[in-house]
Amino acid sequence: MLSWMLALFLAQDGSAQAGSAQAVFVQNGLAQNPPEPQEIMRPQTVQPLPASLDTVPVFNSNSPELIGTAGILLSTFSPDGKTVPEAHLDYPLADRFDIFAHHVYKAEDPENLTSMYLGILVHNPGGATVDLEVLAGASYLSQPDAPFISLPDVVPFGLRMPVFAGPGSRVMGDLLQDRRQDLFSPSLTIPAGETVVLMNQPIPVATLEPPINGRSTLVRLRSSGPVSVASLAQPAGLDDEGSEVAPTLEQWQTLLDTGNLATPRDKPPTPIEAVPTQVIYGRVAGVSEGARWVATVTDDAEATQLTIPAPGEAVSYGISTLYAGQLGTGQVQTAPMLVRYPDTAYQAHGNYGVEYDLTFPLVNSTDEPQTVTVTFETPIKEDTLSTDGLRFFEPLPTQTFFRGPIQIRYRDDGGLPRIRNLHLVQKRGQQGAPLAEITLQPQEERTVSVKLLYPPDSTPPQVITIMTQ
């Protein structure tokens, strides 16, 4: 309880600092460096997830991650009449689609600490009015909304008691609970040929040292007709009293019509067909295909149950597996790109903002009670497994590879329904603590469901592991 309350206090304390230096161990009054991480191998199988991503398009704005100049971050507008046609991908969105944006601003001139605004415009290119419904959505800053802080590996949270570390973590927590932040109107009406501002929010840096801040955004929408979407960045204006003011629709429109892509550009990605020793995945800027992965995990395509492993054994299922990181499953879960800028990622590596909704109908086919755990873990990344199992580190290195919320639902051994909302933090190569532990009686079936939205600033892949004690 004490660690939970401490985490809750830290999560809402803007003075907490992001990141931490390598830990220093103290023994006999003398500071010592921590021991080097050593690899350990856990014999087991790793399986691909059944099913696949849905086909919901995602406006995916993550390049350049670090904004240096005003400009266009991503535009699906038509290039007709634009000063820089190649900055516009000409890809209308309709019906269900998501908007994801994750950007950082750092002021390079200490004499100019003006906020950088992030604007998202939606345009109706058709001849009839379009109704745009905001189903859920959230947008948070790193400072002061959601600083990167140190949290325990597992912390419970609730609707009125959020726990988070970083803006991506907080946004995913809101969307996991289908929340719509007040800054988003529940619906917008867009007349034919008109443009509206969906979001117009600052990334302030004036009070920060160093002057760097980030903003993460995820919005789920439904449109009654085709629309064009653009994300843009430009500095705040000043009023007569010298206070910052947000750019107007007219100023955003001028930038869209006459501006170029924002700089500096991120490193270009390694071509998918290449076989490099080190993969540069690149940052995403385009429309990716797939917002949710919904699956029931069973023994095979014809089965309705998932037989638990034999005592002492485990099976894992990949989460956010990707090119050069398939963990021996032969499965790339990464969302493909429908359109993209030539210098950005070939796939939506990391699946930032993608929801996984997985059901495990576990069955104990033995004649003895069996205790089973369900865990979420971050094994050492591999494409094909170099051993007969997954590799982990002990002790753990310092790099955080996952921080975000997860929900697990099941009936406990007393028959009571349990819904656990947990915030997880995992280092590279970390074995997970049990999210659920149940004892199945002989021939008993019990369902465990796991839901998460893959959080920005995490590093894939991960796994969900079913282990019999």
Side-chain angles (χ1 to χ4, degrees), residues 185-257:
S185 300
S187 61
L188 295 167
T189 298
I190 313 175
E194 297 294 318
T195 301
V196 298
V197 178
L198 177 67
M199 192 180 83
N200 193 2
Q201 292 295 315
I203 305 178
V205 295
T207 62
L208 304 177
E209 182 57 43
I212 184 170
N213 207 352
R215 179 177 286 278
S216 292
T217 303
L218 180 60
V219 192
R220 291 173 172 165
L221 305 111
R222 179 176 287 113
S223 173
S224 64
V227 294
S228 301
V229 181
S231 58
L232 310 104
Q234 67 174 309
L238 298 176
D239 62 18
D240 294 339
E241 298 178 353
S243 299
E244 291 189 352
V245 293
T248 64
L249 173 59
E250 291 72 24
Q251 290 170 325
W252 285 123
Q253 188 69 56
T254 298
L255 176 61
L256 181 71
D257 291 340

Side-chain angles (χ1 to χ4, degrees), residues 38-41 325 327 377-383 385-386 389-394 397 401 427-430 460-461:
Q38 302 295 317
E39 287 190 12
I40 57 174
M41 192 276 285
L327 294 175
E377 305 182 289
T378 303
I380 298 171
K381 175 184 170 186
E382 292 188 284
D383 200 34
L385 297 182
S386 58
L390 293 176
R391 296 185 299 139
F392 298 91
F393 281 125
E394 187 65 44
F401 267 39
K427 307 295 186 183
R428 179 180 178 225
Q430 182 166 349

Side-chain angles (χ1 to χ4, degrees), residues 306-317 360-366 368-375 408 410-413 420 432-450 464-469:
L306 179 63
T307 304
I308 62 174
E313 296 185 3
V315 58
S316 295
Y317 297 88
F360 300 86
L362 304 177
V363 62
N364 173 15
S365 58
T366 75
E368 300 289 336
Q370 303 291 343
T371 298
V372 179
T373 59
V374 180
T375 60
I408 187 162
Y410 62 100
R411 288 190 178 274
D412 65 19
D413 293 342
R420 301 188 72 200
L435 306 178
E437 181 176 310
I438 57 176
T439 298
L440 297 174
Q441 299 303 312
Q443 310 306 318
E444 181 186 359
E445 178 184 341
R446 209 180 314 171
T447 295
V448 176
S449 298
V450 179
I464 291 175
T465 299
I466 312 296
M467 181 180 293
T468 303
Q469 302 302 300

